[in-house]
């Protein structure tokens, strides 16, 4: 059984900060590792550190841009065996904003799973803008964290930790669905950039 | 300029019926062609016919399963030059419900555009369940028809016709975005099948 009460968030940007705040709210012990440890230390209720410090959480949320993930996973390779590794990236080609940088049909999550074969990789948080993690709503609906992955225990531990923080979690299926989640995340970004939705809204999953 | 007041809907299933009803509500002249002309004749306010009859609309909505589209496009090849051709399919592999039948990175819309090179192909309606076209709402949000395509005039005519019927239309970009729309449509179907949303709800685009 993976503990849902010890979580490491790597990255202290808007996503990392919003996720850490929810996990702290849920009563988890939350380590935040940032390139600039001072950014982690500024977050309330967390155990701050620098990228490179030992990971203490059994659930590790990579709150980093896709381009930064490979280096971090390589650095922590020996510490990720047996961990739940959560990928939230949208691997958008920012030069064109017209495609993803991962191979057609694949996903960032699948690429990361190949880099960390001993970890149980989950895709989550890539369809929720940071502001909606903080507000808890997307329009009139509750913010819904869609999670995909192949390991049921990993998914259960993740779900427990995130629901404890007051967010709704919905199982989106196997890790193969990361492709669709990344398509949704990318589409949502293009719609926000075009003004068809806002960076504090996006797609809500209605019942 | 494409007229937005003459539309042909091919197919009289739940999607075809719901779309025809909205277009009739918007004041368009709506021809509905069905394999069984009796099904078309049962729809209020439309000009019914059988698949094979001449197409009268400048906008042609293919309200058919993906597997049935190829034959219909081939049959009408000479009548689709210059038409706005709307594809609403989700090309799901129903044997596995775990992937799409189109090549990785491509889309049903791109495949259809290759079959009908003289038509201006739009992707639309594949992210809105039929019930939400009728109700006009997804949860607390207005039903939003996401449309992708490369021809601005075609998109404008489509948007005018659908907005006249009381639905919100949002431009989702070029036809390349059909890949993401089909991923969203497929994901939404898997979530409805799993009970995480209902077939009368799904993803709402909040502001």
């Amino acid at each position: 059984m993976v503990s849902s009460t010890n979580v490491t968030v790597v990255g202290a940007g808007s996503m990392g900060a919003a996720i850490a705040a929810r996990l702290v709210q849920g009563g988890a012990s939350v380590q935040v590792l940032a390139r600039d440890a001072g950014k982690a230390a500024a977050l309330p209720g967390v155990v701050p550190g620098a990228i490179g410090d030992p990971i203490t959480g059994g659930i590790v949320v990579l709150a980093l841009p896709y381009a930064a993930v490979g280096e971090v996973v390589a650095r922590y390779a020996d510490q990720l065996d047996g961990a739940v590794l959560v990928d939230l990236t949208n691997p958008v080609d920012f030069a064109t904003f017209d495609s993803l940088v991962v191979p057609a049909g694949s996903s960032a999550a699948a690429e990361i799973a190949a880099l960390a074969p001993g970890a149980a990789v989950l895709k989550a948080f890539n369809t929720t803008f940071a502001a909606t993690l903080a507000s808890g709503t997307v329009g009139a609906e509750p913010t819904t964290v869609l999670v995909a992955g192949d390991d049921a225990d990993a998914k259960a531990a993740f779900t427990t930790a995130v629901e404890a923080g007051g967010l709704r979690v919905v199982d989106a299926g196997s890790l193969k669905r990361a492709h669709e989640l990344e398509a949704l995340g990318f589409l949502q970004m293009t719609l926000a950039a075009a003004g068809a939705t806002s960076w504090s809204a996006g797609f809500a999953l209605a019942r």
Side-chain angles (χ1 to χ4, degrees), chain A residues 49-145:
Chain A
I51 291 177
D53 292 354
I55 283 176
T56 60
I59 300 174
V60 180
V61 180
L62 298 174
L64 298 164
Y66 181 63
V69 164
E71 182 200 331
V72 168
V73 170
R75 181 193 284 248
Y76 283 110
D78 58 331
Q79 295 181 52
L80 293 175
D81 276 0
V84 177
L85 191 58
V86 182
D87 163 41
L88 56 64
T89 61
N90 283 306
V92 175
D93 182 342
F94 288 103
T96 64
F97 210 57
D98 195 36
S99 64
L100 302 185
V101 297
V102 292
S106 184
S107 65
E111 301 291 309
I112 291 168
L115 295 176
V121 172
L122 301 178
K123 185 86 203 183
F125 294 125
N126 77 298
T127 64
T128 46
F129 291 141
T132 70
L133 295 175
S135 69
T137 57
V138 178
E141 302 288 342
T143 299
T144 301
V145 177

Side-chain angles (χ1 to χ4, degrees), chain A residues 59 86 122 124-125 145 147 153-163 169:
Chain A
I59 300 174
V86 182
L122 301 178
F125 294 125
V145 177
V147 56
D153 287 344
K155 223 186 258 184
F158 172 83
T159 300
T160 298
V162 176
E163 287 183 341
V169 180

